[in-house]
Amino acid sequence: DGGITQSPKYLFRKEGQNVTLSCEQNLNHDAMYWYRQDPGQGLRLIYYSQIVNDFQKGDIAEGYSVSREKKESFPLTVTSAQKNPTAFYLCASKEDRIQYFGAGTRLSVL
Amino acid sequence: GESVGLHLPTLSVQEGDNSIINCAYSNSASDYFIWYKQESGKGPQFIIDIRSNMDKRQGQRVTVLLNKTVKHLSLQIAATQPGDSAVYFCAENGRGSTLGRLYFGRGTQLTVWP
């Protein structure tokens, strides 16, 4: 069953804690993306990666970090420097021009 | 930067009616546009796309129209069903920007009444 898998579905962060959101795809796509979605808002780009071992900052990268050690995986770390992390996080991968999305991770602050 | 927006934040229609969701874009260099459907608590789902060398493209029960003169596109859903209730986003690629990026509008909430 091919697709993009995000985990966990729900995540809670304590103050000062770093948390990592997982994104795995078995579609053999080169490009992957992380977006943040706030209520009533569109998607804002955090980081993207066009190829393994390479990634670029998007529009709201401050307080986030990523890695791309494998083609299939693009984890996002929300660091303690991100003061307002509560949001719905979406991962996507791209084939031709179309981006395909995972089911998302909802992050809340305890 | 690019700006993609929607004329109406909400749209309510009767089941069986046709729906029209509008989107304005600001980057005249954009040459590719996509519509996504997002149900509550889920990730966006690809509906249909269109390139700037086309004015119209049809899918199953959906049609996208592109008017480059006024930088406007619309998504038409025929015979709207309760399962069509969702937020609909348009996105543009902003040609000349970083390869592979999409710029998303805020979305329109479509509600279908029985």
Side-chain angles (χ1 to χ4, degrees):
Chain A
D1 188 22
I4 302 167
T5 302
Q6 290 189 241
S7 63
K9 188 173 178 64
Y10 299 97
L11 186 58
F12 297 91
R13 192 190 89 168
K14 295 179 182 178
E15 189 141 352
Q17 185 183 39
N18 293 351
V19 292
T20 298
L21 285 61
S22 171
C23 179
E24 303 279 331
Q25 55 100 357
N26 60 3
L27 301 168
N28 201 34
H29 293 167
D30 286 314
M32 298 186 73
Y33 305 80
W34 273 106
Y35 292 91
R36 170 179 172 142
Q37 185 176 32
D38 293 283
Q41 301 294 318
L43 279 61
R44 292 187 289 168
L45 184 64
I46 305 173
Y47 268 98
Y48 61 101
S49 170
Q50 300 283 16
I51 198 169
V52 174
N53 292 322
D54 188 45
F55 50 83
Q56 290 80 37
K57 293 181 179 179
D59 299 323
I60 55 166
E62 185 174 353
Y64 301 97
S65 66
V66 294
S67 63
R68 188 84 188 276
E69 298 177 0
K70 298 187 299 182
K71 188 175 187 177
E72 305 79 27
S73 179
F74 191 39
L76 173 74
T77 296
V78 183
T79 74
S80 57
Q82 173 49 247
K83 298 306 180 186
N84 183 25
T86 297
F88 190 49
Y89 291 86
L90 288 158
C91 177
S93 66
K94 183 172 72 73
E95 180 179 37
D96 294 330
R97 289 183 160 189
I98 301 171
Q99 292 186 20
Y100 297 94
F101 288 84
T105 292
R106 189 166 299 280
L107 175 63
S108 302
V109 177
L110 288 175
Chain B
E2 282 80 0
S3 173
V4 181
L6 292 163
H7 292 309
L8 296 173
T10 61
L11 177 65
S12 296
V13 300
Q14 196 83 28
E15 181 178 359
D17 287 351
N18 296 334
S19 303
I20 300 176
I21 301 170
N22 296 304
C23 181
Y25 64 94
S26 60
N27 189 340
S28 57
S30 292
D31 66 352
Y32 181 69
F33 305 88
I34 301 182
W35 282 99
Y36 286 93
K37 172 187 179 182
Q38 186 177 26
E39 296 176 85
S40 182
K42 298 184 179 180
Q45 177 185 3
F46 169 78
I47 302 173
I48 193 169
D49 59 355
I50 188 169
R51 298 178 190 269
S52 61
N53 61 352
M54 304 171 70
D55 297 323
K56 178 180 180 179
R57 191 169 188 213
Q58 288 183 293
Q60 187 176 14
R61 280 201 309 119
V62 296
T63 300
V64 55
L65 299 177
L66 177 61
N67 185 329
K68 295 179 286 295
T69 302
V70 294
K71 292 187 287 188
H72 178 272
L73 67 158
S74 66
L75 178 70
Q76 301 178 2
I77 305 173
T80 314
Q81 303 168 0
D84 294 326
S85 293
V87 175
Y88 289 81
F89 293 96
C90 65
E92 61 173 325
N93 73 329
R95 189 175 68 177
S97 68
T98 306
L99 187 66
R101 281 203 60 168
L102 288 176
Y103 297 86
F104 288 82
R106 288 179 53 215
T108 292
Q109 172 71 58
L110 174 66
T111 302
V112 182
W113 300 99

